Amino acid sequence: IAGITQAPTSQILAAGRRMTLRCTQDMRHNAMYWYRQDLGLGLRLIHYSNTAGTTGKGEVPDGYSVSRANTDDFPLTLASAVPSQTSVYFCASSETTLNEQFFGPGTRLTVL
Amino acid sequence: DQQVKQNSPSLSVQEGRISILNCDYTNSMFDYFLWYKKYPAEGPTFLISISSIKDKNEDGRFTVFLNKSAKHLSLHIVPSQPGDSAVYFCAARANAGKSTFGDGTTLTVKP
């Protein structure tokens, strides 16, 4: 089934630990995005990639890094997690930046 | 400074009636607007969009209206169904750039 997957579904992490959230899409979309959604708030863009090999910073990039080695995968890394990074993380993709985005099911991350 | 605002955190309507969800924006460079729907424990899904060259776009029970002079758009759902109960996010984009999302409105449709 074509779509976008994220792993893990949820994670509890100790502060200071390193964590990579995985995101894979099989729609051959050029653009990919990482958002965080805090309780009661909208989606805030962390990082994005308009095409494989390129990445850019979104609205809230501090403490996060991404890579886009190929079309399908767009991992998000927290180098040293802090409690303020507790959130639900959504990965999304779109055919181009002109098209609507398709979202993954999200990863619920708790940093203690 | 929030550029996309959904001032109503929640809305409750009776099944069969019209639901109207509102969205205001401040950035006059926004030229494309989208609505997404989100069920609990799922990612958002695209619902409907409108370009700034139009003032209305319709897709089945869903219609989006854009008032550029007022920097306001609204999503109309008619007739509303219980399955429409979800969080609705308004998003805006400028020059094929990144989308900016509002905080969402939780719609509850009562049977």
Side-chain angles (χ1 to χ4, degrees), chain A residues 35 37 41-43 45 48 90 97-101 103-105, chain B residues 34 36 38 41-44 46 89 93 96 98-99 101-103:
Chain A
Y35 295 90
Q37 186 190 11
L41 298 180
L43 300 160
L45 183 66
Y48 66 94
F90 290 102
T97 57
L98 292 172
N99 303 100
E100 71 274 14
Q101 296 177 22
F103 285 82
Chain B
L34 309 96
Y36 289 84
K38 184 184 181 302
E42 295 183 9
F46 170 72
F89 291 102
R93 200 176 70 198
K98 302 172 287 295
S99 291
F101 286 78
D103 288 343

Side-chain angles (χ1 to χ4, degrees), chain B residues 51-71:
Chain B
S51 165
S52 61
I53 63 173
K54 296 184 175 181
D55 55 17
K56 176 183 175 181
N57 188 26
E58 190 172 354
D59 183 2
R61 296 186 296 113
F62 302 91
T63 303
V64 56
F65 295 91
L66 175 62
N67 182 334
K68 284 189 297 182
S69 62
K71 293 189 176 68

